[in-house]
Amino acid sequence: MSTVMMSVMLDATGDTPASAAFFGFMGAACALIFACLGAAYGTAKSGVGICSMGVMRPELVMRSIIPVVMAGVVGIYGLIISVIIATNVKDTGYTEFRGFAHLGAGLAVGLSGLAAGMSIGIVGDAGVRATAQQPKLFVGMILILIFAEALGLYGLIVALILSTK
């Protein structure tokens, strides 16, 4: 029996094609993996800057923890979309269209989270070191971090729209 015929038969019975579930679960995995990669990089890179700065100005360590928190939020974006996608994949009535939409949602939030985490890490590292030398740079660093975080937020918004298709 041909693959097309089996696909039509599966759709007629209401069972979910294996490829649809595969793409849906890959979307959930991509959302979490890539967003957490970005969060981990942002945390590590910012943490290196905080440790380096803390040697000379230990009183500024808690104030400089903001990039680490912002990097962690990027990972939460991926977790949210991953849970939404994983709970929507069903063994009956789940179409290939929804599987592709969920893959797109996972890639949108995951890759934008990766980009946001990388930019947060780089800005956080340089920013906390510069702020230790010139405290007037703190507000500028925070504004740049907000715009870097916005990249991840854009991916979250698109992923929420795609995951409801």
Side-chain angles (χ1 to χ4, degrees), residues 23-33 78 81-83 85-86 89 102-103 106:
F23 287 119
F25 287 129
M26 282 302 294
C30 287
L32 193 61
I33 291 167
I81 296 301
S82 183
V83 169
I85 292 171
V89 177
H102 287 160
L103 176 63

Side-chain angles (χ1 to χ4, degrees), residues 11 35 116 146-147:
D11 289 339
I146 289 170
F147 286 116

Side-chain angles (χ1 to χ4, degrees), residues 33-67:
I33 291 167
F34 290 130
C36 286
L37 278 173
Y41 181 84
T43 300
K45 187 85 167 142
S46 296
V48 168
I50 292 168
C51 291
S52 176
M53 178 273 308
V55 171
M56 290 190 262
R57 301 283 305 269
E59 69 275 6
L60 296 178
V61 169
M62 289 310 291
R63 184 172 147 176
S64 299
I65 209 84
I66 294 170

Side-chain angles (χ1 to χ4, degrees), residues 49-143:
I50 292 168
C51 291
S52 176
M53 178 273 308
V55 171
M56 290 190 262
R57 301 283 305 269
E59 69 275 6
L60 296 178
V61 169
M62 289 310 291
R63 184 172 147 176
S64 299
I65 209 84
I66 294 170
V68 173
V69 173
M70 293 180 84
V73 170
V74 171
I76 294 171
Y77 293 164
L79 177 65
I80 290 168
I81 296 301
S82 183
V83 169
I84 288 172
I85 292 171
T87 57
N88 282 324
V89 177
K90 307 285 184 207
D91 57 352
T92 58
Y94 187 77
T95 64
E96 288 183 340
F97 176 82
R98 292 197 70 192
F100 294 145
H102 287 160
L103 176 63
L107 288 172
V109 74
L111 293 175
S112 67
L114 179 61
M118 291 179 73
S119 62
I120 288 169
I122 293 167
V123 170
D125 181 24
V128 297
R129 292 175 196 237
T131 301
Q133 294 177 4
Q134 177 54 263
K136 292 179 182 177
L137 295 174
F138 183 74
V139 174
M141 177 190 73
I142 297 300
L143 286 174

